[in-house]
Structures are given as C-alpha cells and as structure tokens.
Amino acid sequence: MRKIPRINGLSKQLADRLSPPDQFLTIKKNTFLFQQGEKVKELYILLSGKIQIGKISPDGRELTLRFCDVGDIIGEFIFDEEEVSYIVDAKVVEDGEVAVVKQKRVRDELMDDSKSIIELLKHSNLQYRKDQTKFRDLVMFGKKGALYSTLIRLSNSYGVKKVDGIYLDVNLTNQEIANFCATSRESVNRMLNDLKRDGIIGIEKGRITIYQLDYLKTEINCENCPVVLCSIK
C-alpha cells in the first residue's frame, strides 16, 4: 500500500495518521488544483512538481503569494463541518502528483487526538500568517514595497551568501517577479533597473545578487519577522 513519504512541518506521528491517502492525483501544468470560491473538501500533499498559491483580482491582475515545495500541505484544515470556500488559487506550474486526504476522514481520524488537531491547526495558521504578511507589505508600501519585500523573501528562501552579497539561486522571469508584486512586468523592469543603477542589486544572465539587503529592509520598515514567515515558500 502506497504511503505519503513525508509532510513538511508535521510530526511523524501526525503524518502517519494521514497516511495512506484517499487517492493519488496527477497534476498538469497550467491547470488548477483548486480555485477561489470552490468548497474546501480535501487536503493535498505535494509529492512532485510545483504549485503556486495566489489570487487574481477582479481586473485580472495576478498576485503570487508563495510556491509550494515537495512535502508541503496545500489547502486549509477545517475543524468543523461548516462549508468554507477557498480564498486563493492553487495553480500547477510544473507537472507532478499530489496525495489527497479528505477533510472528513481527517476529522474522524483525529477526533480522539487533541494534540494532533492542535498541531494541524498551528500549521494552517502559519500558512495564513505568511499570506497576511505579504498582503500587509503590498497594501502599506505599494509597488516598490512589494518588490523590496519580494526580494527579501527570495533571499530568505533561495539566497546563497557570496563575498559581495546574496545570490538568489532561483530562476524567475521578471513577469513572475511582477506577479509577486501584483504589478506589471514593465514596472518591475524599471524598479529593478533603478536598484541596479544605484548599486543595491546586480543582475547577470537573469539572476539577481542583492548587495545591500539592509537598504531594502530599511525602505519598508522591515520588522525582521522570523524567516519561517518571511519567505516565498
């Protein structure tokens, strides 16, 4: 019987309680695991591929909140049987597979295990707080703040310390960076070029090195949140 190999952020005891899943589901690039407005019925564990969590505004602008890694839980844990709808989209950006666990089975399985329920609720709350800090940066500091915040988060998730700065070891197009900022690619191009001109960052072959991370943090009054909150993943 095929089981879930691992679940990020959960104890082995709880991961074992969720395994084996109710089914395995193949996911294809440019499709959605779920979309805003759909009813929450399952939890998903990413086994392979890549999924992007985000929102699309009424005027069509895309805001990317985070990427999900292999082993991540995707979706919301609903403790009671009240109907709840997703407020974000889960878009598949790389072919892969997810394990599916039905919410009702999770509730029934953990009804006698308050410790595991609290652990799962804490995990869900952490994802919620990550998304809220992203919204905060966008609302309070506008496009520039959203870009600076995104660069800081990328440095926490993919940064490699070099002699001259922090190299972002991730392949993102300017359009993908723009989606993290809910703005246009042209605006991001202009702001990145301004930062490059001022010596704050360097760009070579599409990869960014941050030379002055403290400058970016000062500009958005960075609160130095724990890395677990201030990340792209």
Side-chain angles (χ1 to χ4, degrees):
M1 185 177 293
R2 198 174 161 203
K3 294 187 176 183
I4 302 168
R6 64 185 174 91
I7 304 177
N8 297 334
L10 296 187
S11 66
K12 185 178 184 303
Q13 176 187 350
L14 179 50
D16 287 345
R17 296 290 296 269
L18 300 180
S19 194
D22 293 292
Q23 70 176 108
F24 292 93
L25 181 67
T26 299
I27 53 176
K28 295 294 184 181
K29 184 178 179 179
N30 293 327
T31 63
F32 289 89
L33 189 59
F34 55 77
Q35 291 182 273
Q36 299 173 60
E38 293 180 5
K39 300 301 180 185
V40 178
K41 296 180 179 179
E42 294 94 9
L43 287 173
Y44 304 92
I45 297 91
L46 186 61
L47 303 179
S48 61
K50 183 178 288 186
I51 288 179
Q52 167 188 299
I53 304 298
K55 290 180 71 71
I56 297 178
S57 67
D59 61 0
R61 288 184 301 163
E62 186 173 351
L63 171 61
T64 301
L65 294 170
R66 52 190 163 87
F67 286 127
C68 297
D69 285 337
V70 171
D72 281 352
I73 287 185
I74 304 168
E76 302 176 42
F77 172 56
I78 307 302
F79 180 64
D80 54 36
E81 297 186 12
E82 180 184 359
E83 282 199 347
V84 175
S85 299
Y86 288 109
I87 59 173
V88 295
D89 300 318
K91 183 179 180 180
V92 181
V93 293
E94 183 181 296
D95 292 354
E97 185 182 33
V98 295
V100 184
V101 184
K102 295 185 182 301
Q103 293 271 357
K104 185 179 186 305
R105 198 198 106 196
V106 176
R107 290 194 297 270
D108 292 344
E109 181 77 19
L110 301 182
M111 189 60 68
D112 62 343
D113 188 350
S114 58
K115 182 178 178 181
S116 290
I117 289 176
I118 291 172
E119 182 182 347
L120 197 50
L121 287 171
K122 284 182 176 179
H123 186 277
S124 296
N125 185 58
L126 176 61
Q127 302 308 317
Y128 173 79
R129 290 178 65 196
K130 284 182 180 180
D131 294 343
Q132 290 305 303
T133 58
K134 183 68 179 178
F135 285 127
R136 176 201 63 196
D137 292 343
L138 180 61
V139 170
M140 291 182 65
F141 301 107
K143 295 177 182 179
K144 182 182 288 187
L147 174 62
Y148 292 7
S149 168
T150 296
L151 291 173
I152 293 168
R153 291 168 190 273
L154 285 169
S155 74
N156 288 333
S157 298
Y158 301 104
V160 178
K161 289 186 178 180
K162 302 288 186 178
V163 174
D164 57 348
I166 300 174
Y167 173 74
L168 302 185
D169 189 17
V170 59
N171 187 24
L172 291 176
T173 66
N174 283 6
Q175 182 59 62
E176 288 172 322
I177 295 175
N179 290 345
F180 278 108
C181 307
T183 189
S184 67
R185 179 173 56 83
E186 292 75 17
S187 293
V188 164
N189 288 346
R190 183 172 59 254
M191 289 187 288
L192 287 175
N193 285 332
D194 287 345
L195 290 173
K196 182 180 178 181
R197 183 197 62 217
D198 294 340
I200 309 300
I201 66 171
I203 305 175
E204 186 174 351
K205 296 181 179 179
R207 296 295 183 95
I208 297 173
T209 297
I210 302 175
Y211 299 133
Q212 298 186 43
L213 184 63
D214 286 343
Y215 171 86
L216 300 177
K217 290 184 174 183
T218 299
E219 286 295 297
I220 62 169
N221 297 320
C222 178
E223 299 174 355
N224 289 312
C225 298
V227 172
V228 69
L229 288 180
C230 186
S231 69
I232 292 299
K233 299 180 180 181

